[in-house]
């Protein structure tokens, strides 16, 4: 359809009006009959415009948010501060300046409730925002459930995921400070793709360390990054001291996000004209993602729905936070009372099996110590999901609210996740990325429970991206070669042995 229909489709969640129009073969002729005889108009454009107007009227088209929401402002108990890895004292702004531009350092420690989104960032957001909120009616029918299932779909971005929501502002703030080069890591490739896209828009060099398992399994993510101008290395690499040390111990290392972070941070710290960007975990990253939840609140209000259960997958936590944090604000204000559920893989269960402790964000111990749910900074996960949801720690702010009891967490094995993904793809049409298959599986569980109880709950889930570059994972499921991997208690204890002891 015409590009002018994208905002309407993004804002629309009720498709009944459009369905009725499609069911009437003579609908287009009916609209053609309303053309003024003396006007030479394109009847197809006119017809589509009327459909668009009808959709917008039904859904009260939402605008792109102009502010990011900072959950820290509304927490009576503030999260513990990050600590300097050598002094174990709270990190000061000057400690972070080798890695981040000044404005992002301010946002990381901010207690302001709302932070204005720069106009230039909003302008780029408008390429794909607002994103669609869609009711999964055909999935509901397949499950024969009285529940109503909605998903907020972030796969319409140029990179195919939610990651550009933070890549764009991070690169913009770096550009404002005159930074010439940005380095980062990527696991599944979605973050690296998004940062490469953003750097291309602002003419900044981009260098990415991609976890080796993902680098090998997902060549098209690498090619996407290179198409946007990025230089991509498999991690561990021979370029950095960290990579060389890992390869000396294990030449066949599949890599990890912790290792890739260490490599990128090493390069940034050694070069004055280079900064580092992170795609999840940190407060300012979660802050930028709240455009998802802010839009979703307005979209649900427009159709008179209130979520009873909010579900999102969690690796580092950015997509989950982006959807959930604005709803937690509404819950704290007593407006709504949804159950908020994070879902992680059984092979990398940082929330459900990790410890809440200070730990490094990377394998080499170069980053500040953060209080988070962790499996240990030298944790090497199994190469599941083509690289997704495999970070050793959970975002400190998510870990904190989990400790406060504002949310719950469960772990689901990957075969169940992909079973749900196949059900979703064959009813809703979208092929999910491996990461949101966890949210889908949890939503299916909840919907089937509603079938048993007769409850007509409203289930809202975060659909953080498409799986067009993840088809080898689907191939394993369809061929019956996919296996469920868990993280047994003995490996938990082994992994946690090197977590630093901080009083």
């Amino acid at each position: 359809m015409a590009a002018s229909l994208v905002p309407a489709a993004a804002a629309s969640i009720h498709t009944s009006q459009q369905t009725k129009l499609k069911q009437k073969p003579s609908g287009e002729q009916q609209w053609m009959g309303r053309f003024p005889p003396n006007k030479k108009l394109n009847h197809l454009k006119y017809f589509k415009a009327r459909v668009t107007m009808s959709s917008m009227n039904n859904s009260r088209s939402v605008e792109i948010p102009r502010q990011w929401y900072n959950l820290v402002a509304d927490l009576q108990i503030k999260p513990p501060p990050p600590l300097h890895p050598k002094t174990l004292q709270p990190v000061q702004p000057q400690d972070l300046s080798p890695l981040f531009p000044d404005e992002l350092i301010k946002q990381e420690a901010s207690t302001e409730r709302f932070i204005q989104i720069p106009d230039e960032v909003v302008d780029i957001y408008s390429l794909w925002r607002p994103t669609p909120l869609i009711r999964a009616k055909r999935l509901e029918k397949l499950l024969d459930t009285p529940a109503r299932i909605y998903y907020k779909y972030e796969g319409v971005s140029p990179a195919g995921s939610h990651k550009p929501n933070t890549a764009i502002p991070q690169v913009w703030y770096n550009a404002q400070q005159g930074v010439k080069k940005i380095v980062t890591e990527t696991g599944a490739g979605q973050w690296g793709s998004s940062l490469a896209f953003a750097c291309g828009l602002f003419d900044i060099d981009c260098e990415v360390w991609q976890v080796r398992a993902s680098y090998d399994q997902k060549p098209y993510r690498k090619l996407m990054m290179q198409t946007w101008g990025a230089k991509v290395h498999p991690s561990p690499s021979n370029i950095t001291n960290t990579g060389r040390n890992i390869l000396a111990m294990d030449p066949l290392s599949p890599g990890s996000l912790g290792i890739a972070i260490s490599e990128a941070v090493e390069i940034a710290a050694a070069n004055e004209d280079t900064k580092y960007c992170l795609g999840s975990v940190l407060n300012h990253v979660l802050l930028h993602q709240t455009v998802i939840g802010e839009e979703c609140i307005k979209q649900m209000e427009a159709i008179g729905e209130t979520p009873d259960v909010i579900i999102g997958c969690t690796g580092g936590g950015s997509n989950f936070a982006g959807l959930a944090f604005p709803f937690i604000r509404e819950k704290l204000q007593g407006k709504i009372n949804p159950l908020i559920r994070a879902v992680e893989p059984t092979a990398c269960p940082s929330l459900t099996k990790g410890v809440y402790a200070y730990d490094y964000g990377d394998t080499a111990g170069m980053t500040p110590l953060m209080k988070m749910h962790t499996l240990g900074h030298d944790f090497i996960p199994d190469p599941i999901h083509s690289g997704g949801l495999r970070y050793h720690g959970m975002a400190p702010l998510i870990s904190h609210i989990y400790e406060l009891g504002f949310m719950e967490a469960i772990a689901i094995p990957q075969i169940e996740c992909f079973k749900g993904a196949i059900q979703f793809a064959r009813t809703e049409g979208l092929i999910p990325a491996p990461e949101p298959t966890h949210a889908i599986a949890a939503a299916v569980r909840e919907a089937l429970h509603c079938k048993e109880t007769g409850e007509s709950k409203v289930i809202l889930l975060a659909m953080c991206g498409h799986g067009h570059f993840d088809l080898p994972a689907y191939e394993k499921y369809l061929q019956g070669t996919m296996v469920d991997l868990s993280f047994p208690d003995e490996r938990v204890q082994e992994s946690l042995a090197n977590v630093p002891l901080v009083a």
Side-chain angles (χ1 to χ4, degrees):
M1 300 182 76
S4 62
L5 295 185
V6 173
S12 176
I13 44 185
H14 267 321
T15 58
S16 58
Q17 187 78 10
Q18 294 183 47
T19 302
K20 290 178 181 178
L21 285 168
K22 290 177 181 178
Q23 291 173 344
K24 293 182 179 180
S26 60
E28 186 170 335
Q29 285 79 1
Q30 292 175 5
W31 289 118
M32 286 174 60
R34 299 189 183 185
F35 281 106
N38 59 340
K39 299 291 184 181
K40 295 182 179 179
L41 298 176
N42 184 311
H43 70 273
L44 184 58
K45 286 183 178 180
Y46 187 76
F47 176 68
K48 289 182 177 179
R50 292 303 299 256
V51 173
T52 301
M53 291 170 60
S54 176
S55 300
M56 293 175 68
N57 289 337
N58 283 348
S59 63
R60 302 180 197 171
S61 178
V62 301
E63 295 182 354
I64 300 171
R66 305 297 302 208
Q67 295 177 315
W68 294 303
Y69 168 63
N70 183 11
L71 178 62
V72 175
D74 289 325
L75 298 178
Q76 293 185 355
I77 302 175
K78 304 301 181 185
L83 304 179
H84 193 285
K86 294 182 178 179
T87 67
L88 300 185
Q89 296 300 307
V91 166
Q92 300 300 312
Q94 61 269 23
D95 299 325
L96 298 176
S97 59
L99 298 181
F100 305 113
D102 295 342
E103 189 58 36
L104 291 180
I105 294 172
K106 292 178 184 177
Q107 290 179 8
E108 185 65 23
S110 176
T111 58
E112 294 181 35
R113 180 169 285 105
F114 294 101
I115 294 176
Q116 198 72 17
I117 304 176
D119 290 342
E120 294 87 342
V121 172
V122 174
D123 182 58
I124 297 174
Y125 277 173
S126 68
L127 291 174
W128 71 93
R129 306 212 69 87
T131 58
L133 178 66
I134 303 168
R135 183 173 173 184
K137 292 183 178 180
R138 288 161 291 279
L139 180 62
E140 294 170 11
K141 182 178 180 180
L142 174 70
L143 300 175
D144 191 24
T145 178
R148 299 189 295 285
I149 304 171
Y150 294 89
Y151 58 97
K152 180 71 165 158
Y153 183 49
E154 292 293 303
V156 294
S157 77
S161 77
H162 67 293
K163 295 292 188 177
N165 295 334
T166 185
I168 296 300
Q170 286 193 53
V171 174
W172 186 82
Y173 287 120
N174 274 286
Q176 298 306 298
Q177 202 161 306
V179 174
K180 302 300 182 184
K181 180 179 178 180
I182 290 175
V183 295
T184 195
E185 77 295 324
T186 193
Q190 291 183 341
W191 169 241
S193 301
S194 300
L195 193 69
F197 161 62
C199 286
L201 293 178
F202 294 102
D203 196 24
I204 292 178
D205 289 340
C206 180
E207 198 162 356
V208 181
W209 274 260
Q210 185 175 7
V211 173
R212 165 61 79 173
S214 176
Y215 184 93
D216 292 338
Q217 294 172 7
K218 303 178 71 173
Y220 295 110
R221 276 290 173 189
K222 175 183 66 177
L223 286 169
M224 178 180 273
M225 294 180 240
Q226 293 170 334
T227 299
W228 276 317
K231 185 181 293 185
V232 188
H233 311 288
S235 174
S237 72
N238 283 308
I239 297 172
T240 66
N241 291 328
T242 298
R244 287 188 289 268
N245 291 337
I246 296 293
L247 290 173
M249 293 185 291
D250 181 7
L252 299 178
S253 171
S256 71
L257 275 170
I259 295 171
I261 291 172
S262 293
E263 295 202 81
V265 167
E266 181 181 322
I267 296 297
N271 296 275
E272 291 186 3
D273 65 344
T274 302
K275 296 292 185 184
Y276 167 72
C277 285
L278 187 64
S280 191
V281 178
L282 298 180
N283 288 359
H284 68 269
V285 180
L286 275 55
L287 172 80
H288 300 156
Q289 293 292 353
T290 58
V291 292
I292 301 171
E294 294 291 7
E295 282 180 6
C296 195
I297 287 173
K298 297 297 185 184
Q299 288 170 321
M300 296 210 81
E301 286 177 350
I303 56 157
E305 290 277 42
T306 301
D308 297 300
V309 183
I310 299 173
I311 301 172
C313 64
T314 47
S318 64
N319 178 64
F320 174 84
L323 179 64
F325 280 7
F327 281 98
I328 290 176
R329 177 192 67 225
E330 303 297 290
K331 184 173 182 176
L332 290 173
Q333 295 175 355
K335 297 179 181 178
I336 57 176
N337 189 32
L339 175 67
I340 299 172
R341 180 176 297 144
V343 192
E344 59 188 7
T346 56
C348 190
S350 57
L351 279 172
T352 54
K353 284 195 174 181
V355 296
Y356 186 51
Y358 272 103
D359 197 8
Y360 299 105
D362 70 314
T363 298
M366 301 176 66
T367 66
L369 290 161
M370 299 179 288
K371 189 73 173 289
M372 60 183 177
H373 280 265
T374 178
L375 294 169
H377 59 276
D378 53 2
F379 165 73
I380 303 294
D382 293 303
I384 59 168
H385 303 133
S386 302
L389 296 192
R390 298 171 59 232
Y391 185 57
H392 68 272
M394 184 53 58
L397 188 50
I398 291 179
S399 298
H400 180 62
I401 65 171
Y402 181 57
E403 289 294 309
L404 294 178
F406 291 169
M407 54 175 280
E408 65 177 37
I410 61 173
I412 297 181
Q414 59 179 352
I415 289 178
E416 181 181 348
C417 293
F418 275 85
K419 177 183 177 182
I422 293 293
Q423 290 176 315
F424 190 92
R426 292 178 180 177
T427 53
E428 296 302 312
L430 298 174
I431 300 176
E435 293 84 355
T437 65
H438 297 75
I440 292 170
V444 169
R445 283 187 182 183
E446 188 68 32
L448 292 177
H449 177 71
C450 288
K451 180 179 178 180
E452 294 176 359
T453 63
E455 297 173 279
S456 56
K457 290 182 179 179
V458 175
I459 302 169
L460 171 63
L461 66 103
M463 178 67 73
C464 58
H466 66 65
H468 298 171
F469 299 107
D470 303 285
L471 294 178
Y474 280 88
E475 183 179 31
K476 288 182 179 180
Y477 176 81
L478 293 170
Q479 291 181 346
T481 59
M482 179 174 283
V483 296
D484 281 334
L485 300 169
S486 62
F487 197 62
D489 290 339
E490 56 268 24
R491 280 192 64 192
V492 173
Q493 297 308 315
E494 179 184 349
S495 178
L496 294 175
N498 293 325
V499 172
L501 297 176
V502 178

